[in-house]
Amino acid sequence: MELSERKKQILCMAVEEYIKDSSPITSGGIKYKGLTCSTATLRNELNTLEAMGYLRQLHTSGGRVPTAQGYRYYVEALLGGVEASDSELDEVKNLISSRTTSLNEIISGIAKVVSRATNYPTFIMLNGIENLILTEFRIIPLLDSSVMVLIGTNAGYINETLPVNATLTECQDASNYLTKNFKGTTISFMLENMTELEEGMKGEIEAFSKVVGSLITGLKKLNNQKLLNVERTGSVKLLENGKSVEEAKKVLQILDDKEKLEKSLELRGKGEIEVDIAEEEGKDCSVVKAPILVDGRQLASIGVIGPQRMDYLGIASALKVVIDELNSLKGDG
């Protein structure tokens, strides 16, 4: 059944009031907020919204609160028009505009700023490293029979320390070879084609093949693991603004469960902000999430986790800054 404009207005008002201060909506409260129809009409509309499953009554004579279905309608009705809030998240834009920063630092910084801006825990899963575009390689010998590798990409540097004993000349030769042959390609291309190219380059790289071989092993390992960065800055806020201890417990338990966190970051679409609602399809917590794209390719997934009663649109606007700013980055290749 399609909702009338008045029902939509009442439902959105009910959700927003409950998010703001945990106040159940009543016909008197709606009338106080400016709707001109009679109290009896408003009461009928609330009854209808309850019968349709969008609201539920806590007590026989009390007000109504949104259900998971009510939150879902609210999110889908308003999320499409969400706009990025530049003033709140300039720090994110500054952070990710520099490609001379470690990718880990960028990921950690994004999670920290979004968590601080939304007052909820934020987590990021690196699940598209193979899509990064390579810009350069710098391999530096260290004193402890190992080498440090700086892999330049269109989203920042990847730092790797490899257990390889190599001379400065071997490291420089390996750096030059890898940059010359793979600059402008993706990590996926490099991994797929390195074995095929090994025969042709044996003479050229015989002296530093141990460096290249160890680097490829390291990249394959990095590509197969999911870097899960969890920023708990907003965890304390879970107990503020009338949120229940039980709601907070559910969120904190998931933050300590890597498997559940990874599952909660699974995306249905591509390039859009998505919302999972607590109690919807058995979900314990609500998650506002989005893919992080660089050059149109997915690099990671970012999610903000909280109870059912959280500021979905404010969180979505924070994520929009991250998505828009990263989408503006272009590869150097």
Side-chain angles (χ1 to χ4, degrees):
M1 179 179 175
E2 184 68 24
L3 294 184
S4 66
E5 286 304 314
R6 186 163 62 198
K7 286 187 179 65
K8 290 178 186 177
Q9 191 176 359
I10 292 171
L11 178 56
C12 288
M13 196 179 293
V15 173
E16 288 168 358
E17 282 299 299
Y18 197 62
I19 287 174
K20 186 172 70 176
D21 57 15
S22 193
S23 298
I25 199 76
T26 63
S27 54
I30 296 173
K31 194 166 182 64
Y32 173 76
K33 291 185 172 299
L35 286 185
T36 56
C37 51
S38 69
T39 302
T41 300
L42 290 174
R43 195 177 298 116
N44 288 335
E45 295 284 40
L46 288 171
N47 287 337
T48 303
L49 286 168
E50 183 179 358
M52 295 173 73
Y54 294 107
L55 299 174
R56 62 187 175 90
Q57 199 166 21
L58 295 176
H59 310 289
T60 306
S61 58
R64 293 168 174 84
V65 299
T67 62
Q69 183 181 339
Y71 279 112
R72 169 60 59 195
Y73 184 90
Y74 172 78
V75 165
E76 291 181 349
L78 300 180
L79 197 58
V82 71
E83 295 182 357
S85 179
D86 291 348
S87 59
E88 290 181 351
L89 291 173
D90 280 342
E91 190 178 344
V92 171
K93 300 178 71 174
N94 293 334
L95 178 69
I96 60 185
S97 63
S98 172
R99 306 186 205 186
T100 59
T101 307
S102 157
L103 185 60
N104 276 359
E105 289 178 16
I106 292 174
I107 292 295
S108 176
I110 289 173
K112 187 173 294 185
V113 175
V114 171
S115 182
R116 203 162 57 235
T118 61
N119 286 329
Y120 289 100
T122 300
F123 53 110
I124 295 181
M125 181 169 66
L126 197 61
N127 54 5
I129 191 172
E130 72 276 6
N131 294 322
L132 291 175
I133 297 174
L134 298 163
T135 58
E136 67 173 326
F137 291 82
R138 295 182 190 176
I139 304 175
I140 304 162
L142 302 176
L143 296 176
D144 58 349
S145 298
S146 62
V147 297
M148 179 175 69
V149 183
L150 298 177
I151 305 170
T153 77
N154 58 329
Y157 275 88
I158 297 172
N159 301 335
E160 281 284 295
T161 300
L162 304 176
V164 175
N165 187 9
T167 66
L168 176 61
T169 299
E170 289 171 341
C171 289
Q172 289 174 337
D173 288 345
S175 302
N176 293 335
Y177 179 86
L178 292 169
T179 300
K180 179 181 72 175
N181 284 276
F182 295 107
K183 179 179 179 179
T185 68
T186 63
I187 289 179
S188 175
F189 176 88
M190 179 181 173
L191 294 177
E192 289 171 3
N193 290 276
M194 180 58 80
T195 304
E196 187 179 317
L197 294 174
E198 278 179 349
E199 287 300 318
M201 67 185 185
K202 268 184 180 176
E204 186 176 356
I205 70 162
E206 186 172 355
F208 55 89
S209 60
K210 54 188 175 183
V211 178
V212 176
S214 184
L215 173 60
I216 295 302
T217 300
L219 274 177
K220 285 180 178 177
K221 182 179 178 182
L222 184 63
N223 190 42
N224 290 331
Q225 71 183 28
K226 294 182 177 179
L227 169 65
L228 202 62
N229 186 295
V230 181
E231 179 55 48
R232 298 169 181 265
T233 305
S235 297
V236 177
K237 301 288 184 180
L238 293 172
L239 292 173
E240 297 182 359
N241 301 321
K243 294 178 177 62
S244 74
V245 174
E246 286 307 311
E247 285 179 319
K249 277 183 180 178
K250 287 180 180 180
V251 175
L252 295 173
Q253 284 170 355
I254 289 182
L255 289 177
D256 289 327
D257 190 324
K258 185 176 178 180
E259 187 176 333
K260 283 188 176 180
L261 271 181
E262 288 183 1
K263 188 170 181 59
S264 67
L265 267 182
E266 292 176 356
L267 296 164
R268 296 178 291 276
K270 188 175 182 180
E272 299 294 334
I273 295 172
E274 299 178 8
V275 179
D276 289 338
I277 309 288
E279 298 180 17
E280 187 180 54
E281 298 175 0
K283 293 181 173 65
D284 292 326
C285 300
S286 289
V287 181
V288 184
K289 54 190 173 180
I292 293 180
L293 306 177
V294 178
D295 262 358
R297 298 181 176 95
Q298 183 165 334
L299 167 63
S301 305
I302 180 170
V304 179
I305 187 169
Q308 189 183 65
R309 185 175 67 84
M310 67 181 193
D311 181 9
Y312 296 97
L313 297 186
I315 293 166
S317 72
L319 294 185
K320 189 101 166 76
V321 173
V322 177
I323 294 171
D324 289 352
E325 187 64 16
L326 275 168
N327 276 342
S328 71
L329 293 182
K330 300 297 177 185
D332 293 333

